[in-house]
Amino acid sequence: MERPYNEASDVSSPTDLEFGSLANSLTMLLEAAKSEIDHDWEAAKTSLATAQFILQSEMERRSGGKNSVTGGLAGWQMVRIRSFIDSNLDQTIHASDLSAVAQRSTAHFSRSFKQAFGEPPHAFLIRRRLEEACRLMLTSSASLSEISLSVGFSDHAHLCKLFRKAFGQSPSRWRRERETLWRR
């Protein structure tokens, strides 16, 4: 049976327009990841992580936030915090700096951060520094001392201590093993 003509059905609703915009953004991010995957793994990974974050945030928003934890950070705050951390890895970053980026009081920020990211700000920052150090060890010929300073560790020993704790081996051994794999 044919549906009767309804003038309102031919007009896009705000929800349809919103979904179209979201779908376009996700499509662009996934296409970028697809084109980057062969020559820039980190860029592809970033595109995929951003697409995942957008989709997850939208699903939570549409479900009325039933799965979100009360008192956490909003999506825009999480994006700004990640961006700030990644742009300033080589600097000293305090919780007060992050709370200012999120426009939250320092007193409530750490709890909100942990609810949103699943770990305290300091642990998140250390993990991001270690991830960036790993990326640099694989993609550059810089010395471990240079890499240590460029990702915000006070010195090579500081990187070694935290790297060994996280990965169970020294950064130099980890780098050598991966260089051997890349040459094959």
Side-chain angles (χ1 to χ4, degrees):
M1 179 175 181
E2 234 179 279
R3 283 186 354 186
Y5 176 76
N6 179 350
E7 188 175 307
S9 68
D10 287 348
V11 177
S12 295
S13 72
T15 304
D16 292 339
L17 293 173
E18 187 178 305
F19 177 77
S21 175
L22 176 71
N24 286 338
S25 295
L26 290 172
T27 300
M28 288 171 47
L29 285 165
L30 293 172
E31 286 175 356
K34 184 179 174 184
S35 68
E36 294 163 340
I37 201 143
D38 289 333
H39 64 280
D40 190 349
W41 173 246
E42 281 302 313
K45 197 166 110 175
T46 300
S47 294
L48 290 172
T50 304
Q52 177 189 9
F53 177 75
I54 289 171
L55 189 56
Q56 185 175 7
S57 296
E58 183 62 14
M59 288 170 46
E60 285 179 10
R61 188 185 70 76
R62 287 181 182 242
S63 70
K66 294 172 194 154
N67 297 330
S68 63
V69 179
T70 305
L73 299 169
W76 68 268
Q77 291 170 313
M78 294 173 69
V79 169
R80 288 178 81 185
I81 289 167
R82 279 190 184 118
S83 177
F84 179 83
I85 288 172
D86 288 345
S87 299
N88 295 287
L89 274 179
D90 62 332
Q91 306 292 315
T92 300
I93 300 174
H94 299 286
S96 59
D97 301 326
L98 298 175
S99 66
V101 169
Q103 299 175 1
R104 286 266 178 130
S105 70
T106 306
H108 297 289
F109 175 75
S110 291
R111 179 179 48 81
S112 299
F113 186 99
K114 186 171 181 179
Q115 287 175 338
F117 287 94
E119 60 188 331
H122 183 71
F124 182 86
L125 180 59
I126 294 300
R127 185 173 53 79
R128 281 296 303 124
R129 285 182 169 154
L130 288 171
E131 289 170 355
E132 183 63 11
C134 288
R135 187 187 73 75
L136 290 172
M137 283 188 275
L138 292 174
T139 61
S140 79
S141 59
S143 71
L144 290 176
S145 294
E146 292 170 325
I147 290 172
S148 299
L149 296 175
S150 73
V151 298
F153 292 116
S154 56
D155 56 25
H156 180 242
H158 191 200
L159 169 66
C160 287
K161 177 183 172 187
L162 294 171
F163 196 94
R164 189 177 300 277
K165 184 177 178 184
F167 296 102
Q169 60 184 332
S170 71
S172 57
R173 181 174 179 196
W174 185 91
R175 188 181 209 181
R176 270 193 312 275
E177 287 175 359
R178 270 116 194 114
E179 285 174 346
T180 304
L181 290 174
W182 283 101
R183 286 187 208 143
R184 289 183 186 175

